[in-house]
Amino acid sequence: MSTDLEALFGAFNATVGRPAMGDAEFGETFRQMMAALVRFDYVVVFAYRGKERPIDLYSTFDAEEHVVFVTLYQAGPYLLDPFYHTARERREGVLRMRELAPDRFFSSEYYRTYYVQTGLAEEIGFFINADKDITIVLSLMRREKTGAFPPADFATLKKAEPLIANMVRHYWAGLAPRFDAQLAAGGKKHRKTGGNPNLAPADTVWRDLNLTSRETAIVDLVLQGHSSESIGLKLNISTGTVKVHRRNVYRKLGISSQTQLLSIYFKNLLPSG
């Protein structure tokens, strides 16, 4: 596919002067721009702020796909998503999922239980830091039957990144009030159910299970898809120490597999009622 990149980007850059665009309107502009450059199957845009539930700004899914990619994702799996953790680190640029994923991600229980439901071959994201501590991630996804993005497509997307960042910071500025409103609504729900409204979901998962802070850090990394060796490097402890902590966690929780660990994780993340 031959495209005059300079002319295309120049045309879209002219739209930045518009005072405002709605989520759907700007999302569709982004989709059309990307479609002129590379082949993909889906687009989804999430805004992240700290450990809070991400806000979905735009997507191209049908109703059934939306349940898996957005509704279910926002309910808890986002906490184990490499894109979420990269956004929290405030990294920027055009990044591939496979380059961000931990060393055991594609054999992790999270991957087998949730991520395979997406049927994706690859996901590439534009990571853009907006106002305050908000990061917006615009993802392009290709299904398994489509295959991964060719190197030339990835190179093209990297060339487009400065323009995309400029547009995103203009049209999706001022998202903080949306996160504040979501947090307030969540606080009301926690008060009704007896929970602590000041704690983000990620901070409540293990609080009633008698795990130490070190054990909590380790099991979170295990579920994200890190090996014992990777965890040791991240926490500056030996691989043997990591394994001892993992055995202690399994003993405390009365479990023997990562499948059971993930089940407990989601059960405590999403309490009934």
Side-chain angles (χ1 to χ4, degrees), residues 3-135:
T3 304
D4 184 341
L5 300 182
E6 184 176 357
L8 177 64
F9 298 156
F12 276 99
N13 197 37
T15 69
V16 175
R18 293 182 55 183
M21 292 176 75
D23 292 348
E25 186 179 9
F26 178 59
E28 179 61 16
T29 296
F30 171 76
R31 186 200 66 78
Q32 292 176 2
M33 180 177 180
M34 294 298 99
L37 302 175
V38 300
R39 181 184 177 189
F40 55 87
D41 295 304
Y42 306 116
V43 176
V44 64
V45 182
F46 282 106
Y48 298 89
R49 186 174 76 172
K51 297 180 180 180
E52 297 172 46
R53 179 178 178 267
I55 293 175
D56 57 311
L57 298 174
Y58 173 80
S59 69
T60 60
F61 307 122
D62 62 27
E64 184 175 346
E65 293 163 345
H66 193 273
V67 171
V68 174
F69 285 96
V70 179
T71 307
L72 180 58
Y73 176 80
Q74 289 174 309
Y78 75 89
L79 292 166
L80 302 177
D81 179 21
F83 272 26
Y84 159 75
H85 289 280
T86 302
R88 284 196 61 201
E89 292 168 2
R90 304 285 284 168
R91 288 182 60 183
E92 291 192 288
V94 181
L95 306 171
R96 294 177 182 266
M97 169 67 81
R98 65 172 180 257
E99 295 171 345
L100 302 175
D103 57 344
R104 296 287 174 82
F105 176 77
F106 294 101
S107 61
S108 68
E109 192 60 36
Y110 165 75
Y111 179 81
R112 292 194 296 266
T113 301
Y114 170 74
Y115 200 84
V116 293
Q117 295 183 54
T118 65
L120 297 179
E122 186 170 34
E123 181 176 1
I124 291 178
F126 289 82
F127 287 74
I128 299 162
N129 292 337
D131 37 81
K132 297 185 179 179
D133 54 352
I134 296 170
T135 298

Side-chain angles (χ1 to χ4, degrees), residues 27-271:
E28 179 61 16
T29 296
F30 171 76
R31 186 200 66 78
Q32 292 176 2
M33 180 177 180
M34 294 298 99
L37 302 175
V38 300
R39 181 184 177 189
F40 55 87
D41 295 304
Y42 306 116
V43 176
V44 64
V45 182
F46 282 106
Y48 298 89
R49 186 174 76 172
K51 297 180 180 180
E52 297 172 46
R53 179 178 178 267
I55 293 175
D56 57 311
L57 298 174
Y58 173 80
S59 69
T60 60
F61 307 122
D62 62 27
E64 184 175 346
E65 293 163 345
H66 193 273
V67 171
V68 174
F69 285 96
V70 179
T71 307
L72 180 58
Y73 176 80
Q74 289 174 309
Y78 75 89
L79 292 166
L80 302 177
D81 179 21
F83 272 26
Y84 159 75
H85 289 280
T86 302
R88 284 196 61 201
E89 292 168 2
R90 304 285 284 168
R91 288 182 60 183
E92 291 192 288
V94 181
L95 306 171
R96 294 177 182 266
M97 169 67 81
R98 65 172 180 257
E99 295 171 345
L100 302 175
D103 57 344
R104 296 287 174 82
F105 176 77
F106 294 101
S107 61
S108 68
E109 192 60 36
Y110 165 75
Y111 179 81
R112 292 194 296 266
T113 301
Y114 170 74
Y115 200 84
V116 293
Q117 295 183 54
T118 65
L120 297 179
E122 186 170 34
E123 181 176 1
I124 291 178
F126 289 82
F127 287 74
I128 299 162
N129 292 337
D131 37 81
K132 297 185 179 179
D133 54 352
I134 296 170
T135 298
I136 298 171
V137 182
L138 304 91
S139 296
L140 301 179
M141 301 170 165
R142 289 178 63 146
R143 294 177 294 195
E144 291 178 352
K145 67 179 182 180
T146 307
F149 288 89
D153 285 4
F154 185 64
T156 296
L157 295 176
K158 289 180 74 69
K159 291 178 182 178
E161 191 272 337
L163 173 59
I164 297 302
N166 186 19
M167 297 174 72
V168 165
R169 292 190 182 106
H170 180 78
Y171 290 117
W172 271 320
L175 292 178
R178 294 204 215 179
F179 278 101
D180 294 341
Q182 177 177 265
L183 208 57
K188 292 178 181 177
K189 180 178 179 181
H190 278 294
R191 282 190 287 273
K192 288 181 180 178
T193 58
N196 187 338
N198 297 315
L199 290 177
D203 296 324
T204 67
V205 177
W206 306 111
R207 72 183 188 278
D208 296 325
L209 296 176
N210 195 33
L211 299 190
T212 66
S213 59
R214 175 67 82 187
E215 290 169 344
T216 295
I218 288 173
V219 294
D220 280 344
L221 290 169
V222 166
L223 290 175
Q224 289 168 34
H226 288 273
S227 65
S228 294
E229 292 78 9
S230 176
I231 294 171
L233 289 173
K234 289 184 73 69
L235 299 182
N236 196 29
I237 57 178
S238 71
T239 300
T241 299
V242 173
K243 292 179 178 179
V244 169
H245 280 303
R246 289 181 67 169
R247 286 196 295 268
N248 288 340
V249 168
Y250 278 36
R251 176 182 51 79
K252 284 184 179 182
L253 301 180
I255 61 176
S256 59
S257 70
Q258 193 179 133
T259 302
Q260 294 171 302
L261 183 64
L262 185 67
S263 177
I264 291 174
Y265 184 87
F266 284 132
K267 179 180 178 181
N268 284 275
L269 180 67
L270 304 168

